[in-house]
Amino acid sequence: MLNAAYNILLMLIEPTLSTLYMVAGATVFSLILGFPLGILLCVTSAGNLIPQILFNKILEKITNILRSFPFIILMIIVFPLSRFIVGTSIGTAAAIVPLSIAAMPFVARIIKSALKEVNPEIIQAAKVMGSSNRQIIFKVMLPEAYPALIAGITLTIINIIGYAAMAGSMGGGGLGDLAIRYGYQRFRLDVMIGAVLVIIIMVEFVQFLGDKMVHTIMKRRGLEIK
Amino acid sequence: MITLRNISKNYEGVQAVDDISLKIHPNTVHGIMGRSGAGKSTLVRLMSLLECPDNGEVFFNDCRVDNLKGKALRERRRQLGMVFQNFNLFLSRNVFSNVAYPLEIAGVDKRSIQNRVYELLDLVELSSKIEYPINRLSGGQKQRIAIARALAHHPKILFCDEATSALDPQTTLTILQLIKDIQNRMNLTVVMITHQMEVVKEICAFVSIIDNGKVIKNESVQNLFSFPHTGTAHELISPLRYSDVILKKQRLHLVGNTTEDILSRLAKIYHTNVNIVTGSIRSVNNKSVSNFIIELTISEGTLNTIIADLRSQKISIEVLHA
Ligand SMILES: Nc1ncnc2c1ncn2[C@@H]1O[C@H](COP(=O)(O)OP(=O)(O)O)[C@@H](O)[C@H]1O
Ligand SMILES: [Mg+2]
């Protein structure tokens, strides 16, 4: 019994590391791509910092289309791109490409809506003090929106963990792959349960960390929550 | 100091400012009064270079400023300060770094920022709150911090858009006092936008009454109150409750379940000294009944609030005319 559990634990180590690698990579790249896009979506909207109505409409459309793309299909479409960037279209590193692309519009929307919630009057106050647009974005809007941004990024990472499991089953390796290969194909329910448990722990941990950070910021700002 | 020449601003068909010409003299407090929606905020946004007029020109001294762009515009804005109804402080920054912000973005070095912030907090008497988050301050304290922040660059002009409208009468008075003080000490030109006659009467030397985007009256406050008026000017002036800003000594007789606790609470909530003239606490049927005569220096508005407050606690209260 103990031996069996130990064996499952051993089997879980490598896929867990692959999943962490995929999630971390996709988080970093989706943030790098999605953050500027989210800022652009916000500041170019009507009545905001640099209104560019047509440009904003087009950008909105593109993000929406990207966001509504089924992930599986997106993966297949970006196979050539993954091959071009990573050198192969299978494996953990290759899976980071579609994961990042899938999460990017999600990140963009979250950043956008967090920034849109910043009180326009505060932005006006910053403006009258002689701030440049760049200073308003980086010294006012982003810091003011910090709690909402952290909450949004937490949600993004949790989503990526889910997608990573799916990507795993399509040749990306990791926990999703393990669950499918053992649980589904070899009827090893125990292995599948182990894989699912690890995924749940990951999600819970990320959520806990995110909540903790938001709580800390709120407290520093003199706001107690719950 | 500020000259407006035939300025207009239209928002999708709404003529918010309609061909206004106005001179604001240096080193004065100039009130801009009018009903809600009259165009006061729009006018102040045009003066504070937050927006460009559709037509007309804005001059600071003899320098045209309404057509500035980019760096020149930002530098010009640094020569004016503005405070708002809802304070508009940065919640992501504490007291110190709120006041430091305008200096920070102008590239002032750390040492000078620190010195200036200390100076400013001293001026508004909030040095003790330097590390506080904004949410831990009262409305009046927030406005003081906002004033300190607005003064960071030694501006020559201070715009106040309904700066006291979110505050109770008592706090309003202290903020007006502070503005008056600063104006005197720093030779500031202050433009006070308000819909409250009391504010105009309290600190303005000149006043322009705005209605429907037009200036309908422009004169010294002294004249405004000396002659009868018609139309909007009359409407704005007649409901004047001068009593709301005048502090008077009031003597109150309280009977009921009052303990000293309630008196100290009054002092705390209404920021006033409570003098006990006479007082006794007696035990009747195992209940203590107190009988106090106290003296407070408060405005009529605050007096009425206190009366309502105490009556809601089943304390009988009588105003004694001293
Ligand atoms: N940014 C804006 N967009 C559209 N309409 C506006 C805007 N700002 C002001 N207005 C309109 O202009 C008029 C004057 O508004 P405002 O200057 O805010 O008045 P006040 O400050 O005297 O209450 C109002 O009818 C208001 O609806
Ligand atoms: Mg207004």
Side-chain angles (χ1 to χ4, degrees):
Chain A
M1 179 61 202
L2 219 61
N3 212 18
Y6 180 68
N7 276 337
I8 292 171
L9 218 57
L10 275 185
M11 283 170 81
L12 285 172
I13 289 175
E14 203 266 340
T16 301
L17 289 177
S18 310
T19 296
L20 284 177
Y21 176 54
M22 267 192 286
V23 171
T27 301
V28 169
F29 287 112
S30 65
L31 284 179
I32 289 174
L33 296 169
F35 227 96
L37 187 58
I39 292 174
L40 267 182
L41 278 173
C42 174
V43 297
T44 59
S45 64
N48 214 288
L49 213 51
I50 318 158
Q52 292 290 333
I53 313 302
L54 183 68
F55 175 79
N56 185 266
K57 273 216 170 98
I58 294 169
L59 219 55
E60 279 282 346
K61 262 268 131 37
I62 294 172
T63 12
N64 263 338
I65 290 171
L66 271 177
R67 208 162 60 114
S68 49
F69 239 80
F71 180 63
I72 294 284
I73 297 176
L74 187 78
M75 266 198 85
I76 297 166
I77 293 175
V78 299
F79 268 164
L81 185 64
S82 311
R83 198 171 299 132
F84 175 73
I85 295 174
V86 193
T88 169
S89 60
I90 43 171
T92 311
I96 291 175
V97 178
L99 278 174
S100 306
I101 292 174
M104 173 190 73
F106 191 82
V107 172
R109 293 212 69 95
I110 276 169
I111 305 290
K112 179 194 104 171
S113 49
L115 292 181
K116 277 213 152 182
E117 264 173 46
V118 176
N119 182 354
E121 278 199 45
I122 289 184
I123 296 173
Q124 194 178 64
K127 220 183 218 173
V128 88
M129 287 186 268
S131 317
S132 66
N133 284 336
R134 207 172 66 186
Q135 286 167 330
I136 290 179
I137 293 169
F138 290 100
K139 283 181 162 284
V140 178
M141 292 171 80
L142 288 172
E144 288 293 305
Y146 198 45
L149 290 174
I150 295 295
I153 291 169
T154 305
L155 196 62
T156 306
I157 298 174
I158 289 170
N159 269 326
I160 290 176
I161 294 173
Y163 279 137
M166 221 191 294
S169 62
M170 298 271 301
L175 291 165
D177 173 51
L178 184 78
I180 293 274
R181 271 193 294 124
Y182 283 82
Y184 184 67
Q185 289 162 359
R186 299 186 201 169
F187 308 107
R188 285 285 303 272
L189 198 62
D190 50 354
V191 178
M192 190 165 81
I193 289 172
V196 170
L197 272 180
V198 175
I199 291 175
I200 290 173
I201 291 169
M202 276 184 195
V203 169
E204 285 297 317
F205 180 69
V206 170
Q207 187 69 62
F208 168 80
L209 222 60
D211 288 350
K212 183 112 189 135
M213 279 175 82
V214 172
H215 194 87
T216 310
I217 304 160
M218 292 307 220
K219 211 163 161 185
R220 197 179 309 142
R221 293 188 181 182
L223 293 164
E224 295 295 344
I225 43 169
K226 271 163 275 174
Chain B
M1 187 77 204
I2 307 173
T3 309
L4 306 178
R5 234 179 249 163
N6 304 98
I7 58 164
S8 299
K9 183 78 188 178
N10 190 300
Y11 294 113
E12 299 135 20
V14 179
Q15 196 66 43
V17 167
D18 191 2
D19 194 29
I20 285 184
S21 297
L22 195 62
K23 252 191 169 38
I24 288 169
H25 301 293
N27 210 350
T28 53
V29 182
H30 191 116
I32 294 183
M33 253 189 95
R35 293 188 265 237
S36 168
K40 306 181 295 293
S41 292
T42 308
L43 185 65
V44 81
R45 280 203 301 275
L46 294 169
M47 287 199 263
S48 61
L49 313 179
L50 273 167
E51 287 193 63
C52 289
D54 301 336
N55 282 303
E57 293 143 20
V58 181
F59 296 87
F60 286 177
N61 293 325
D62 286 320
C63 194
R64 186 163 171 196
V65 290
D66 61 272
N67 52 2
L68 296 175
K69 291 215 161 42
K71 204 170 152 65
L73 173 62
R74 291 199 296 275
E75 257 153 37
R76 190 50 96 165
R77 280 176 180 158
R78 281 177 198 156
Q79 296 167 7
L80 52 91
M82 188 157 170
V83 292
F84 305 82
Q85 177 169 3
N86 299 313
F87 325 120
N88 298 344
L89 294 167
F90 305 121
L91 305 179
S92 53
R93 291 166 169 257
N94 65 11
V95 166
F96 176 91
S97 40
N98 260 278
V99 181
Y101 178 86
L103 303 164
E104 205 179 299
I105 57 163
V108 177
D109 67 278
K110 276 223 163 71
R111 179 114 234 132
S112 315
I113 290 183
Q114 207 171 46
N115 291 338
R116 182 71 184 137
V117 172
Y118 287 151
E119 219 172 271
L120 288 160
L121 289 180
D122 226 28
L123 180 75
V124 300
E125 294 171 356
L126 281 176
S127 305
S128 60
K129 306 271 190 252
I130 192 158
E131 300 280 351
Y132 269 52
I134 297 307
N135 283 309
R136 284 277 162 76
L137 303 176
S138 70
Q141 291 171 335
K142 284 180 189 166
Q143 199 58 296
R144 282 166 179 272
I145 297 301
I147 290 170
R149 185 178 69 171
L151 297 175
H153 283 298
H154 303 277
K156 283 273 129 224
I157 310 169
L158 180 68
F159 295 100
C160 306
D161 190 355
E162 305 276 9
T164 58
S165 301
L167 305 172
D168 61 78
Q170 203 76 38
T171 314
T172 294
L173 212 67
T174 61
I175 294 292
L176 292 180
Q177 197 57 52
L178 176 67
I179 293 174
K180 219 186 324 191
D181 225 55
I182 290 167
Q183 190 271 331
N184 250 322
R185 233 189 295 175
M186 304 184 177
N187 293 332
L188 270 181
T189 304
V190 178
V191 179
M192 288 291 293
I193 285 81
T194 183
H195 67 273
Q196 297 169 298
M197 196 67 223
E198 298 83 352
V199 170
V200 171
K201 191 140 193 173
E202 183 69 23
I203 72 167
C204 296
F206 292 91
V207 64
S208 306
I209 298 181
I210 311 255
D211 201 30
N212 270 325
K214 283 190 188 308
V215 176
I216 58 164
K217 201 146 219 104
N218 191 27
E219 59 188 339
S220 74
V221 167
Q222 211 170 2
N223 280 349
L224 189 74
F225 288 104
S226 309
F227 303 109
H229 300 283
T230 53
T232 307
H234 173 73
E235 268 175 55
L236 283 165
I237 297 165
S238 59
L240 164 68
R241 295 201 32 228
Y242 196 42
S243 54
D244 267 358
V245 287
I246 298 303
L247 296 181
K248 258 173 50 187
K249 194 178 266 184
Q250 303 282 359
R251 199 172 259 211
L252 305 178
H253 184 192
L254 315 178
V255 181
N257 212 0
T258 55
T259 59
E260 310 242 2
D261 257 343
I262 288 189
L263 300 182
S264 66
R265 193 177 69 90
L266 280 184
K268 220 182 264 163
I269 294 179
Y270 300 100
H271 307 285
T272 170
N273 277 326
V274 178
N275 289 326
I276 301 173
V277 182
T278 62
S280 66
I281 303 176
R282 262 180 309 172
S283 190
V284 177
N285 296 340
N286 279 336
K287 275 187 188 166
S288 58
V289 174
S290 343
N291 198 326
F292 277 108
I293 293 179
I294 57 171
E295 253 178 16
L296 310 161
T297 304
I298 44 177
S299 70
E300 201 154 300
T302 313
L303 175 66
N304 291 330
T305 320
I306 290 177
I307 292 174
D309 182 354
L310 292 181
R311 291 218 166 119
S312 76
Q313 298 184 48
K314 304 230 178 344
I315 292 165
S316 97
I317 177 166
E318 188 191 348
V319 181
L320 307 171
H321 294 281

